Amino acid sequence: MKTSYLFLAEGFEETEATTIVDMMRRAGMPIKTVSITSQKEVKGAHGIAIIADMLYEPQNIVDIDWLILPGGLPGTTHLGEFKLLRQLLKNHASVKGNIAAICAAPSVLGDLGLLNGKNATCYPGFESHLAGGTYTAKAVEVSDNIITGKGPGMVIAFTLAIIVKSLGKDKAHEVAQSMLLNE
């Protein structure tokens, strides 16, 4: 199975990052957290520090399943400014690779032109950054190889959409049941 990568920048949304990683691992999907800073320890928007699995080193990001961007500020801004990540996203999109972004982070995809002709959602106030895409205001939007989510409250539905796309509805249902989401 290919590996997914979730990128962490100072000021990321902690709830989004940790929930995505937790749920994907529950589903049996290999996922690594990647710091785009010079340190493995990255502080989130609400002061919670996370130790990333690895530093961003292009040669170590291989055999990619998903590239995932959590939101949060100023984390989203830092992700969008990181040239190596911008290039990786463009390269992955050019081969129809899977990309997911939630909260403010879909703005990075819009700024790169990766939402052209796609439906997308984002945190309210970032709609103008979805260049080329159609803003739907849905909690989660699946459009071909790109999944976008509206914000922290939608992170479970967002991650289940990733699991459905990769492993099917049965596995997503299994993960949801194990978390008592269907109670």
Side-chain angles (χ1 to χ4, degrees), residues 154-174:
M154 288 74 176
V155 69
I156 290 174
F158 173 79
T159 309
L160 287 172
I162 293 170
I163 296 168
V164 166
K165 187 148 177 65
S166 288
L167 301 176
K169 289 182 181 180
D170 288 345
K171 180 53 87 172
H173 181 72
E174 178 185 312

Side-chain angles (χ1 to χ4, degrees), residues 22 25 30 37 45 111 117 121 136 139 145 157 160 162 168 171 174 176:
D22 176 85
R25 287 184 179 166
T37 74
D111 290 344
T121 193
T136 66
N145 60 315
L160 287 172
I162 293 170
K171 180 53 87 172
E174 178 185 312

